[in-house]
Coordinates of all heavy atoms in Angstrom, one line a residue:
M1334 N -18.7 -30.3 -1.6 CA -17.7 -29.8 -0.6 C -16.9 -28.6 -1.3 O -16.6 -27.6 -0.7 CB -16.8 -30.9 -0.1 CG -15.9 -30.4 0.9 SD -16.7 -29.9 2.4 CE -15.4 -29.4 3.4
T1335 N -16.6 -28.8 -2.6 CA -15.8 -27.8 -3.3 C -16.5 -26.5 -3.4 O -16.0 -25.4 -3.3 CB -15.3 -28.4 -4.6 OG1 -14.6 -29.6 -4.5 CG2 -14.4 -27.4 -5.3
Q1336 N -17.8 -26.7 -3.7 CA -18.7 -25.5 -3.8 C -18.8 -24.7 -2.5 O -18.7 -23.4 -2.6 CB -20.1 -25.9 -4.3 CG -20.2 -26.4 -5.7 CD -19.8 -25.3 -6.7 OE1 -20.0 -24.1 -6.5 NE2 -19.3 -25.7 -7.8
V1337 N -18.8 -25.4 -1.4 CA -18.9 -24.7 -0.1 C -17.6 -24.0 0.1 O -17.6 -22.8 0.6 CB -19.1 -25.7 1.0 CG1 -19.0 -25.1 2.4 CG2 -20.5 -26.4 0.8
L1338 N -16.4 -24.6 -0.2 CA -15.2 -23.9 0.0 C -15.0 -22.7 -0.9 O -14.5 -21.6 -0.5 CB -14.0 -24.9 -0.3 CG -13.9 -26.0 0.7 CD1 -12.8 -26.9 0.3 CD2 -13.6 -25.4 2.1
I1339 N -15.5 -22.8 -2.1 CA -15.5 -21.6 -3.1 C -16.3 -20.5 -2.5 O -15.9 -19.3 -2.6 CB -15.9 -22.1 -4.5 CG1 -14.8 -22.9 -5.1 CG2 -16.2 -20.8 -5.4 CD1 -15.2 -23.5 -6.4
W1340 N -17.5 -20.8 -2.0 CA -18.4 -19.7 -1.5 C -17.8 -19.1 -0.2 O -17.9 -17.9 0.0 CB -19.8 -20.3 -1.2 CG -20.6 -20.3 -2.4 CD1 -21.0 -21.5 -3.1 CD2 -21.1 -19.2 -3.2 NE1 -21.7 -21.1 -4.2 CE2 -21.8 -19.8 -4.3 CE3 -21.0 -17.9 -3.1 CZ2 -22.4 -19.0 -5.3 CZ3 -21.6 -17.1 -4.0 CH2 -22.3 -17.6 -5.1
I1341 N -17.1 -19.9 0.6 CA -16.4 -19.4 1.8 C -15.3 -18.4 1.3 O -15.1 -17.4 1.9 CB -15.9 -20.5 2.7 CG1 -17.0 -21.2 3.3 CG2 -14.9 -20.0 3.7 CD1 -16.6 -22.5 4.1
A1342 N -14.5 -18.8 0.3 CA -13.5 -18.0 -0.3 C -14.0 -16.7 -0.8 O -13.5 -15.6 -0.6 CB -12.7 -18.7 -1.3
V1343 N -15.2 -16.8 -1.5 CA -15.8 -15.6 -2.1 C -16.2 -14.6 -1.0 O -16.0 -13.4 -1.0 CB -17.0 -15.9 -3.0 CG1 -17.8 -14.7 -3.3 CG2 -16.5 -16.6 -4.3
A1344 N -16.8 -15.2 0.1 CA -17.2 -14.4 1.2 C -16.0 -13.7 1.9 O -16.1 -12.5 2.3 CB -18.0 -15.2 2.2
M1345 N -14.9 -14.4 2.0 CA -13.7 -13.9 2.7 C -13.1 -12.8 1.8 O -12.7 -11.7 2.3 CB -12.7 -15.0 2.9 CG -13.1 -15.9 4.0 SD -12.0 -17.3 4.2 CE -10.6 -16.5 4.8
V1346 N -13.1 -12.9 0.5 CA -12.6 -11.9 -0.4 C -13.5 -10.7 -0.4 O -13.0 -9.5 -0.4 CB -12.4 -12.5 -1.8 CG1 -12.2 -11.4 -2.8 CG2 -11.3 -13.5 -1.9
A1347 N -14.8 -10.9 -0.3 CA -15.7 -9.8 -0.2 C -15.5 -9.0 1.1 O -15.6 -7.8 1.1 CB -17.1 -10.3 -0.4
A1348 N -15.4 -9.7 2.2 CA -15.1 -9.0 3.5 C -13.8 -8.3 3.4 O -13.7 -7.1 3.9 CB -15.1 -10.1 4.6
A1349 N -12.8 -8.9 2.9 CA -11.5 -8.2 2.8 C -11.6 -6.9 1.9 O -11.0 -5.9 2.2 CB -10.4 -9.1 2.2
A1350 N -12.3 -7.0 0.8 CA -12.5 -5.9 -0.1 C -13.3 -4.8 0.7 O -12.9 -3.6 0.5 CB -13.3 -6.3 -1.3
A1351 N -14.3 -5.1 1.4 CA -15.1 -4.1 2.2 C -14.2 -3.4 3.2 O -14.2 -2.2 3.3 CB -16.3 -4.8 2.8
M1352 N -13.4 -4.2 3.9 CA -12.5 -3.6 4.9 C -11.5 -2.7 4.3 O -11.1 -1.6 4.8 CB -11.9 -4.7 5.8 CG -12.9 -5.3 6.8 SD -12.1 -6.5 7.9 CE -11.9 -7.9 6.8
T1353 N -10.9 -3.1 3.2 CA -9.9 -2.4 2.5 C -10.5 -1.1 1.9 O -9.8 0.0 2.0 CB -9.3 -3.2 1.4 OG1 -8.8 -4.4 1.9 CG2 -8.2 -2.5 0.7
L1354 N -11.7 -1.1 1.4 CA -12.3 0.1 0.8 C -12.6 1.1 2.0 O -12.5 2.3 1.8 CB -13.6 -0.3 0.1 CG -13.4 -0.9 -1.3 CD1 -14.7 -1.3 -1.9 CD2 -12.7 0.1 -2.2
W1355 N -13.0 0.5 3.1 CA -13.2 1.4 4.3 C -11.9 2.1 4.7 O -11.9 3.3 4.9 CB -13.7 0.6 5.5 CG -14.0 1.4 6.7 CD1 -15.1 2.2 6.9 CD2 -13.1 1.6 7.8 NE1 -14.9 2.9 8.1 CE2 -13.7 2.5 8.7 CE3 -11.9 1.0 8.2 CZ2 -13.2 2.8 9.9 CZ3 -11.3 1.4 9.4 CH2 -12.0 2.3 10.2
R1356 N -10.8 1.4 4.7 CA -9.5 2.0 5.0 C -9.0 2.9 3.9 O -8.4 4.0 4.2 CB -8.4 0.9 5.2 CG -7.0 1.4 5.5 CD -6.9 2.3 6.6 NE -7.2 1.7 7.9 CZ -7.3 2.3 9.0 NH1 -7.2 3.6 9.1 NH2 -7.6 1.7 10.1
L1357 N -9.4 2.6 2.7 CA -9.0 3.5 1.6 C -9.7 4.9 1.7 O -9.1 5.9 1.4 CB -9.3 2.9 0.3 CG -8.9 3.6 -1.0 CD1 -7.4 3.6 -1.1 CD2 -9.4 2.8 -2.2
T1358 N -11.0 4.9 2.1 CA -11.7 6.1 2.2 C -11.5 6.8 3.6 O -11.6 8.0 3.6 CB -13.2 5.9 2.0 OG1 -13.7 4.9 3.0 CG2 -13.5 5.3 0.6
R1359 N -11.3 6.1 4.6 CA -11.2 6.7 6.0 C -9.8 6.7 6.5 O -9.6 7.1 7.7 CB -12.1 5.9 6.9 CG -13.5 5.8 6.5 CD -14.3 7.0 6.9 NE -14.3 7.1 8.3 CZ -14.8 8.1 9.0 NH1 -15.5 9.0 8.3 NH2 -14.7 8.2 10.3
G1360 N -8.8 6.3 5.8 CA -7.4 6.2 6.3 C -6.9 7.6 6.8 O -7.1 8.6 6.2
P1361 N -6.3 7.6 8.0 CA -5.9 8.8 8.6 C -4.8 9.5 7.8 O -4.6 10.7 7.9 CB -5.5 8.5 10.0 CG -5.2 7.0 10.0 CD -6.1 6.4 8.9
S1362 N -4.0 8.7 7.1 CA -2.8 9.3 6.4 C -2.8 8.9 5.0 O -3.5 7.9 4.6 CB -1.5 8.9 7.1 OG -1.3 7.6 6.9
T1363 N -2.0 9.5 4.2 CA -1.8 9.2 2.8 C -1.2 7.8 2.7 O -1.5 7.1 1.8 CB -0.9 10.3 2.1 OG1 -1.6 11.5 2.3 CG2 -0.8 10.0 0.6
L1364 N -0.2 7.5 3.6 CA 0.4 6.2 3.5 C -0.6 5.1 3.7 O -0.5 4.0 3.1 CB 1.5 6.1 4.5 CG 2.4 4.9 4.5 CD1 3.1 4.8 3.1 CD2 3.5 4.9 5.5
D1365 N -1.5 5.3 4.6 CA -2.6 4.2 4.8 C -3.4 4.0 3.6 O -3.8 2.9 3.2 CB -3.5 4.6 6.0 CG -2.9 4.5 7.3 OD1 -2.0 3.7 7.5 OD2 -3.3 5.2 8.3
R1366 N -3.7 5.1 2.9 CA -4.5 5.0 1.6 C -3.7 4.3 0.6 O -4.2 3.5 -0.2 CB -4.9 6.4 1.2 CG -6.0 7.0 2.1 CD -6.5 8.3 1.6 NE -7.6 8.8 2.4 CZ -7.5 9.6 3.4 NH1 -6.3 10.2 3.6 NH2 -8.6 10.0 4.0
I1367 N -2.4 4.6 0.5 CA -1.5 3.9 -0.5 C -1.4 2.5 -0.3 O -1.5 1.6 -1.2 CB -0.2 4.6 -0.6 CG1 -0.3 6.0 -1.1 CG2 0.8 3.8 -1.4 CD1 0.9 6.9 -1.0
V1368 N -1.2 2.1 1.0 CA -1.1 0.7 1.3 C -2.4 0.0 1.1 O -2.5 -1.2 0.6 CB -0.7 0.5 2.8 CG1 -0.8 -0.9 3.3 CG2 0.8 1.0 3.0
S1369 N -3.5 0.6 1.4 CA -4.8 0.0 1.2 C -5.1 -0.2 -0.3 O -5.8 -1.1 -0.8 CB -6.0 0.7 1.9 OG -6.1 2.0 1.3
A1370 N -4.7 0.8 -1.1 CA -4.8 0.6 -2.6 C -4.0 -0.6 -3.1 O -4.5 -1.3 -4.0 CB -4.4 1.9 -3.3
D1371 N -2.8 -0.8 -2.5 CA -2.0 -1.9 -2.9 C -2.7 -3.2 -2.5 O -2.7 -4.2 -3.2 CB -0.6 -1.8 -2.3 CG 0.4 -2.7 -2.9 OD1 0.3 -3.0 -4.1 OD2 1.3 -3.2 -2.2
V1372 N -3.3 -3.2 -1.3 CA -4.0 -4.4 -0.8 C -5.2 -4.7 -1.7 O -5.6 -5.8 -2.0 CB -4.4 -4.2 0.7 CG1 -5.3 -5.3 1.1 CG2 -3.1 -4.2 1.5
L1373 N -5.9 -3.6 -2.1 CA -7.0 -3.8 -3.0 C -6.6 -4.4 -4.3 O -7.4 -5.2 -4.9 CB -7.7 -2.4 -3.2 CG -9.1 -2.4 -3.9 CD1 -10.1 -3.2 -3.0 CD2 -9.6 -1.0 -4.1
V1374 N -5.5 -4.1 -4.9 CA -5.0 -4.7 -6.1 C -4.8 -6.2 -5.8 O -5.1 -7.1 -6.7 CB -3.7 -4.0 -6.6 CG1 -3.1 -4.8 -7.7 CG2 -4.0 -2.6 -7.1
S1375 N -4.2 -6.5 -4.6 CA -4.1 -8.0 -4.3 C -5.4 -8.7 -4.2 O -5.5 -9.8 -4.6 CB -3.3 -8.1 -3.0 OG -2.0 -7.5 -3.1
I1376 N -6.4 -8.0 -3.7 CA -7.8 -8.6 -3.6 C -8.3 -8.8 -5.0 O -9.0 -9.8 -5.3 CB -8.7 -7.7 -2.7 CG1 -8.2 -7.8 -1.3 CG2 -10.1 -8.1 -2.9 CD1 -8.9 -6.8 -0.4
V1377 N -8.1 -7.9 -5.9 CA -8.5 -8.1 -7.3 C -7.8 -9.3 -7.9 O -8.4 -10.1 -8.6 CB -8.2 -6.8 -8.1 CG1 -8.4 -7.1 -9.6 CG2 -9.2 -5.7 -7.7
L1378 N -6.5 -9.5 -7.6 CA -5.8 -10.6 -8.1 C -6.4 -11.9 -7.5 O -6.6 -12.9 -8.3 CB -4.3 -10.6 -7.6 CG -3.5 -9.5 -8.3 CD1 -2.1 -9.4 -7.7 CD2 -3.3 -9.8 -9.8
M1379 N -6.8 -11.9 -6.2 CA -7.4 -13.1 -5.7 C -8.8 -13.3 -6.3 O -9.2 -14.5 -6.5 CB -7.6 -12.9 -4.2 CG -6.4 -13.0 -3.4 SD -6.7 -13.1 -1.6 CE -7.3 -11.4 -1.3
S1380 N -9.5 -12.3 -6.7 CA -10.8 -12.4 -7.3 C -10.6 -13.1 -8.7 O -11.4 -13.9 -9.1 CB -11.5 -11.1 -7.4 OG -11.7 -10.5 -6.2
I1381 N -9.6 -12.6 -9.4 CA -9.4 -13.2 -10.7 C -9.0 -14.7 -10.6 O -9.4 -15.5 -11.4 CB -8.3 -12.4 -11.5 CG1 -8.7 -11.0 -11.8 CG2 -7.8 -13.2 -12.7 CD1 -7.7 -10.1 -12.4
C1382 N -8.2 -15.0 -9.6 CA -7.9 -16.4 -9.3 C -9.1 -17.3 -9.0 O -9.3 -18.4 -9.5 CB -6.9 -16.5 -8.2 SG -5.2 -16.0 -8.6
L1383 N -10.0 -16.7 -8.2 CA -11.3 -17.4 -7.9 C -12.1 -17.6 -9.1 O -12.7 -18.7 -9.3 CB -12.0 -16.7 -6.8 CG -11.7 -16.9 -5.4 CD1 -12.4 -16.0 -4.4 CD2 -12.0 -18.4 -5.0
L1384 N -12.1 -16.6 -10.0 CA -12.9 -16.7 -11.2 C -12.3 -17.8 -12.1 O -13.0 -18.6 -12.7 CB -12.9 -15.4 -11.9 CG -13.7 -15.3 -13.2 CD1 -15.2 -15.5 -12.9 CD2 -13.5 -14.0 -13.9
M1385 N -11.0 -17.9 -12.1 CA -10.3 -19.0 -12.9 C -10.6 -20.4 -12.3 O -10.9 -21.3 -13.1 CB -8.8 -18.8 -12.9 CG -8.4 -17.7 -13.8 SD -6.6 -17.5 -14.2 CE -5.8 -18.0 -12.8
V1386 N -10.7 -20.5 -11.0 CA -11.0 -21.7 -10.4 C -12.5 -22.1 -10.7 O -12.8 -23.3 -11.0 CB -10.8 -21.7 -8.8 CG1 -11.4 -22.9 -8.1 CG2 -9.3 -21.6 -8.5
V1387 N -13.4 -21.2 -10.6 CA -14.8 -21.5 -10.8 C -15.1 -21.9 -12.2 O -15.8 -22.8 -12.5 CB -15.7 -20.3 -10.3 CG1 -17.1 -20.5 -10.8 CG2 -15.6 -20.1 -8.8
S1388 N -14.5 -21.1 -13.2 CA -14.8 -21.3 -14.6 C -13.9 -22.5 -15.2 O -14.3 -23.0 -16.2 CB -14.5 -20.0 -15.4 OG -13.2 -19.7 -15.4
G1389 N -12.8 -22.8 -14.5 CA -11.9 -23.8 -15.1 C -11.1 -23.3 -16.3 O -10.5 -24.1 -17.0
D1390 N -11.1 -22.0 -16.6 CA -10.5 -21.4 -17.7 C -9.3 -20.6 -17.2 O -9.4 -19.8 -16.4 CB -11.5 -20.5 -18.5 CG -10.9 -20.0 -19.7 OD1 -9.9 -20.6 -20.3 OD2 -11.3 -18.9 -20.2
T1391 N -8.1 -20.9 -17.8 CA -6.9 -20.2 -17.4 C -6.5 -19.1 -18.4 O -5.3 -18.7 -18.4 CB -5.8 -21.2 -17.2 OG1 -5.5 -21.9 -18.4 CG2 -6.1 -22.2 -16.1
S1392 N -7.4 -18.6 -19.2 CA -7.0 -17.6 -20.2 C -6.7 -16.3 -19.6 O -6.0 -15.5 -20.2 CB -8.1 -17.5 -21.3 OG -9.3 -17.0 -20.7
S1393 N -7.2 -16.0 -18.4 CA -6.9 -14.7 -17.8 C -5.6 -14.8 -16.9 O -5.3 -13.8 -16.2 CB -8.1 -14.3 -16.9 OG -8.3 -15.3 -15.9
L1394 N -4.8 -15.8 -17.1 CA -3.5 -15.9 -16.3 C -2.6 -14.8 -16.7 O -1.8 -14.3 -15.9 CB -2.9 -17.3 -16.5 CG -1.7 -17.6 -15.7 CD1 -2.0 -17.5 -14.2 CD2 -1.1 -18.9 -16.1
S1395 N -2.6 -14.4 -18.0 CA -1.7 -13.4 -18.4 C -2.0 -12.0 -17.8 O -1.2 -11.2 -17.4 CB -1.6 -13.3 -20.0 OG -3.0 -13.0 -20.4
I1396 N -3.3 -11.8 -17.7 CA -3.8 -10.5 -17.0 C -3.4 -10.6 -15.6 O -2.9 -9.5 -15.0 CB -5.3 -10.4 -17.1 CG1 -5.7 -10.3 -18.6 CG2 -5.9 -9.3 -16.3 CD1 -7.2 -10.4 -18.8
L1397 N -3.5 -11.7 -15.0 CA -3.0 -11.9 -13.6 C -1.6 -11.5 -13.4 O -1.2 -10.8 -12.5 CB -3.4 -13.3 -13.1 CG -3.3 -13.6 -11.7 CD1 -4.5 -12.9 -11.0 CD2 -3.4 -15.1 -11.5
L1398 N -0.7 -12.1 -14.3 CA 0.7 -11.8 -14.2 C 1.1 -10.4 -14.4 O 1.9 -9.8 -13.7 CB 1.4 -12.7 -15.1 CG 1.4 -14.2 -14.8 CD1 2.0 -15.0 -15.9 CD2 2.1 -14.5 -13.5
V1399 N 0.5 -9.7 -15.4 CA 0.8 -8.3 -15.7 C 0.3 -7.5 -14.5 O 1.0 -6.5 -14.1 CB 0.1 -7.9 -17.0 CG1 0.2 -6.4 -17.2 CG2 0.8 -8.6 -18.2
L1400 N -0.9 -7.7 -14.0 CA -1.4 -6.9 -12.9 C -0.5 -7.1 -11.7 O -0.2 -6.1 -10.9 CB -2.8 -7.3 -12.6 CG -3.5 -6.4 -11.6 CD1 -3.6 -5.0 -12.0 CD2 -5.0 -6.9 -11.4
A1401 N 0.0 -8.3 -11.4 CA 0.9 -8.5 -10.3 C 2.2 -7.8 -10.5 O 2.7 -7.2 -9.5 CB 1.2 -10.0 -10.1
M1402 N 2.8 -7.7 -11.7 CA 4.0 -7.0 -11.9 C 3.8 -5.5 -11.8 O 4.7 -4.8 -11.2 CB 4.5 -7.3 -13.3 CG 5.1 -8.7 -13.4 SD 6.0 -9.0 -15.0 CE 4.7 -8.9 -16.2
V1403 N 2.7 -5.0 -12.3 CA 2.4 -3.5 -12.1 C 2.2 -3.2 -10.6 O 2.7 -2.2 -10.2 CB 1.2 -3.2 -13.0 CG1 0.7 -1.8 -12.6 CG2 1.5 -3.3 -14.4
A1404 N 1.5 -4.0 -9.9 CA 1.3 -3.8 -8.5 C 2.6 -3.8 -7.7 O 2.8 -2.9 -6.8 CB 0.3 -4.8 -7.9
F1405 N 3.5 -4.7 -8.0 CA 4.8 -4.8 -7.3 C 5.6 -3.6 -7.7 O 6.2 -3.0 -6.8 CB 5.5 -6.1 -7.8 CG 6.9 -6.1 -7.2 CD1 7.1 -6.4 -5.9 CD2 8.0 -5.9 -8.1 CE1 8.4 -6.5 -5.4 CE2 9.3 -5.9 -7.6 CZ 9.5 -6.2 -6.3
T1406 N 5.7 -3.2 -8.9 CA 6.4 -2.0 -9.3 C 5.9 -0.7 -8.7 O 6.7 0.1 -8.2 CB 6.4 -1.9 -10.9 OG1 6.9 -3.1 -11.4 CG2 7.3 -0.7 -11.3
G1407 N 4.6 -0.6 -8.6 CA 4.0 0.6 -8.0 C 4.3 0.6 -6.5 O 4.6 1.6 -5.9
G1408 N 4.2 -0.5 -5.8 CA 4.4 -0.6 -4.4 C 5.9 -0.3 -4.1 O 6.2 0.5 -3.1
V1409 N 6.8 -0.8 -4.8 CA 8.2 -0.5 -4.6 C 8.5 1.0 -4.9 O 9.3 1.6 -4.1 CB 9.1 -1.4 -5.5 CG1 10.6 -1.0 -5.4 CG2 9.0 -2.8 -5.0
S1410 N 8.0 1.5 -5.9 CA 8.3 2.9 -6.2 C 7.7 3.9 -5.2 O 8.3 4.9 -4.8 CB 7.7 3.3 -7.6 OG 6.3 3.2 -7.7
V1411 N 6.5 3.6 -4.7 CA 5.9 4.4 -3.6 C 6.8 4.2 -2.3 O 7.0 5.2 -1.6 CB 4.5 4.0 -3.3 CG1 4.0 4.6 -2.1 CG2 3.6 4.5 -4.5
A1412 N 7.2 3.1 -2.0 CA 8.0 2.8 -0.8 C 9.4 3.6 -0.9 O 9.8 4.2 0.0 CB 8.3 1.4 -0.6
R1413 N 10.0 3.6 -2.1 CA 11.2 4.4 -2.3 C 11.0 5.8 -2.2 O 11.8 6.6 -1.7 CB 11.8 4.0 -3.6 CG 12.5 2.6 -3.6 CD 13.2 2.4 -4.9 NE 14.2 3.5 -5.2 CZ 15.5 3.3 -5.2 NH1 16.0 2.2 -4.8 NH2 16.3 4.4 -5.4
M1414 N 9.8 6.3 -2.7 CA 9.5 7.7 -2.7 C 9.3 8.2 -1.3 O 9.7 9.3 -0.9 CB 8.3 8.0 -3.6 CG 8.0 9.5 -3.6 SD 6.5 9.8 -4.6 CE 5.3 9.1 -3.7
L1415 N 8.6 7.4 -0.5 CA 8.3 7.8 0.9 C 9.3 7.4 1.9 O 9.1 7.8 3.1 CB 6.9 7.2 1.3 CG 5.7 7.7 0.5 CD1 4.5 7.0 0.9 CD2 5.5 9.2 0.6
A1416 N 10.4 6.8 1.6 CA 11.4 6.4 2.5 C 12.1 7.6 3.1 O 12.2 8.6 2.4 CB 12.4 5.5 1.8
P1417 N 12.5 7.6 4.3 CA 13.2 8.7 4.9 C 14.5 9.0 4.1 O 15.3 8.0 3.9 CB 13.5 8.3 6.3 CG 12.6 7.2 6.6 CD 12.3 6.5 5.3
G1418 N 14.8 10.2 3.8 CA 16.0 10.6 3.1 C 15.9 10.3 1.6 O 17.0 10.3 0.9
A1419 N 14.8 10.1 1.1 CA 14.6 9.8 -0.4 C 15.1 11.0 -1.2 O 15.6 10.8 -2.3 CB 13.2 9.4 -0.7
A1420 N 14.8 12.2 -0.8 CA 15.2 13.3 -1.6 C 16.7 13.5 -1.6 O 17.3 14.0 -2.6 CB 14.6 14.6 -1.0
D1421 N 17.5 13.0 -0.6 CA 18.9 13.1 -0.6 C 19.6 12.0 -1.6 O 20.7 12.2 -1.9 CB 19.5 12.9 0.8 CG 19.0 13.9 1.7 OD1 18.6 15.0 1.2 OD2 18.9 13.6 2.9
R1422 N 18.8 11.0 -1.9 CA 19.4 9.9 -2.7 C 19.0 9.9 -4.2 O 19.2 9.0 -4.9 CB 19.0 8.5 -2.1 CG 19.5 8.3 -0.8 CD 19.2 6.9 -0.4 NE 17.8 6.7 -0.5 CZ 17.0 6.2 0.5 NH1 17.4 6.0 1.6 NH2 15.7 6.1 0.2
Q1423 N 18.5 11.0 -4.6 CA 18.1 11.1 -6.0 C 19.3 11.1 -6.9 O 20.3 11.8 -6.7 CB 17.3 12.4 -6.3 CG 15.9 12.3 -5.6 CD 15.1 13.6 -6.0 OE1 15.6 14.5 -6.5 NE2 13.8 13.6 -5.6
R1424 N 19.2 10.3 -8.0 CA 20.3 10.2 -8.9 C 20.4 11.3 -9.9 O 21.4 11.8 -10.3 CB 20.3 8.8 -9.6 CG 20.6 7.7 -8.8 CD 20.6 6.4 -9.6 NE 20.6 5.3 -8.7 CZ 20.4 4.1 -9.1 NH1 20.1 3.8 -10.3 NH2 20.4 3.1 -8.3
Y1425 N 19.2 11.7 -10.4 CA 19.1 12.6 -11.5 C 18.5 13.9 -11.0 O 17.3 14.0 -10.9 CB 18.3 12.0 -12.7 CG 18.8 10.7 -13.1 CD1 18.1 9.5 -12.8 CD2 20.0 10.6 -13.7 CE1 18.6 8.3 -13.1 CE2 20.5 9.3 -14.1 CZ 19.8 8.2 -13.8 OH 20.3 7.0 -14.2
R1426 N 19.3 14.9 -10.7 CA 18.8 16.1 -10.3 C 19.2 17.2 -11.3 O 20.2 17.1 -12.0 CB 19.4 16.5 -8.9 CG 18.9 15.6 -7.8 CD 19.4 16.2 -6.5 NE 20.3 15.2 -6.0 CZ 21.0 15.4 -4.9 NH1 21.0 16.5 -4.3 NH2 21.8 14.5 -4.4
R1427 N 18.4 18.3 -11.3 CA 18.6 19.3 -12.2 C 19.7 20.3 -11.7 O 20.2 21.1 -12.5 CB 17.3 20.1 -12.5 CG 16.3 19.3 -13.3 CD 15.1 20.1 -13.6 NE 14.2 19.3 -14.3 CZ 13.8 19.6 -15.5 NH1 14.2 20.7 -16.1 NH2 13.0 18.8 -16.2
D1428 N 20.0 20.3 -10.4 CA 21.0 21.2 -9.9 C 22.4 20.7 -10.1 O 23.3 21.3 -9.5 CB 20.7 21.5 -8.4 CG 20.8 20.3 -7.6 OD1 21.0 19.2 -8.1 OD2 20.7 20.4 -6.3
G1429 N 22.6 19.7 -10.8 CA 24.0 19.2 -11.0 C 24.4 18.1 -10.2 O 25.4 17.4 -10.4
G1430 N 23.7 17.8 -9.1 CA 24.0 16.6 -8.3 C 25.2 16.8 -7.5 O 25.6 17.8 -7.1
E1431 N 25.9 15.7 -7.2 CA 27.1 15.7 -6.3 C 28.4 16.0 -7.1 O 29.4 16.3 -6.5 CB 27.2 14.3 -5.7 CG 26.1 13.9 -4.8 CD 26.1 12.5 -4.4 OE1 27.1 11.8 -4.6 OE2 25.1 12.0 -3.8
D1432 N 28.4 15.9 -8.4 CA 29.6 16.2 -9.2 C 29.8 17.7 -9.3 O 30.9 18.1 -9.7 CB 29.5 15.6 -10.6 CG 29.3 14.1 -10.5 OD1 29.8 13.5 -9.5 OD2 28.8 13.5 -11.5
G1433 N 28.9 18.5 -9.1 CA 29.0 20.0 -9.2 C 29.0 20.5 -10.6 O 29.5 21.5 -10.9
E1434 N 28.4 19.7 -11.5 CA 28.3 20.1 -12.9 C 27.3 21.2 -13.1 O 26.4 21.4 -12.5 CB 27.9 18.9 -13.8 CG 28.9 17.8 -13.7 CD 28.4 16.6 -14.5 OE1 27.4 16.6 -15.1 OE2 29.1 15.6 -14.4

């Protein structure tokens, strides 16, 4: 029964990866491509988790944690960059900023 569940999970991850790759290549906007790249990183994380379940080896847990932190940081930075009014909220500008320096 466990093997059946693992194969179902592998099929679901493969289908999700295929749909995400389709959105990554055919996305109508840049934001759609960025979001699909973030989803693709999540799918890679799920694949690593499935590999750990199948092999019974947890040595790739550190890779999983680092990749999750990098994906989170990248997603937050892209969201801040694309947010409305992001250019007005920049802290470090070369023109002297709000202090008039």
Side-chain angles (χ1 to χ4, degrees):
M1334 182 66 180
T1335 305
Q1336 290 294 331
V1337 172
L1338 292 176
I1339 288 174
W1340 281 110
I1341 290 172
V1343 167
M1345 290 173 69
V1346 167
M1352 289 186 281
T1353 303
L1354 285 173
W1355 180 79
R1356 176 54 68 188
L1357 187 65
T1358 57
R1359 305 278 298 178
S1362 69
T1363 304
L1364 187 59
D1365 287 333
R1366 289 184 174 100
I1367 291 171
V1368 168
S1369 64
D1371 196 33
V1372 170
L1373 192 61
V1374 171
S1375 298
I1376 291 171
V1377 168
L1378 290 171
M1379 287 189 294
S1380 300
I1381 293 172
C1382 287
L1383 275 173
L1384 184 65
M1385 286 191 326
V1386 167
V1387 169
S1388 67
D1390 184 25
T1391 60
S1392 62
S1393 59
L1394 186 62
S1395 59
I1396 296 170
L1397 193 70
L1398 291 173
V1399 169
L1400 188 58
M1402 287 189 296
V1403 168
F1405 173 76
T1406 305
V1409 169
S1410 62
V1411 166
R1413 285 186 54 107
M1414 182 181 68
L1415 294 177
D1421 299 334
R1422 293 186 309 236
Q1423 288 181 353
R1424 290 185 190 164
Y1425 307 107
R1426 289 189 247 172
R1427 292 182 179 242
D1428 63 355
E1431 298 171 6
D1432 297 337
E1434 296 175 6

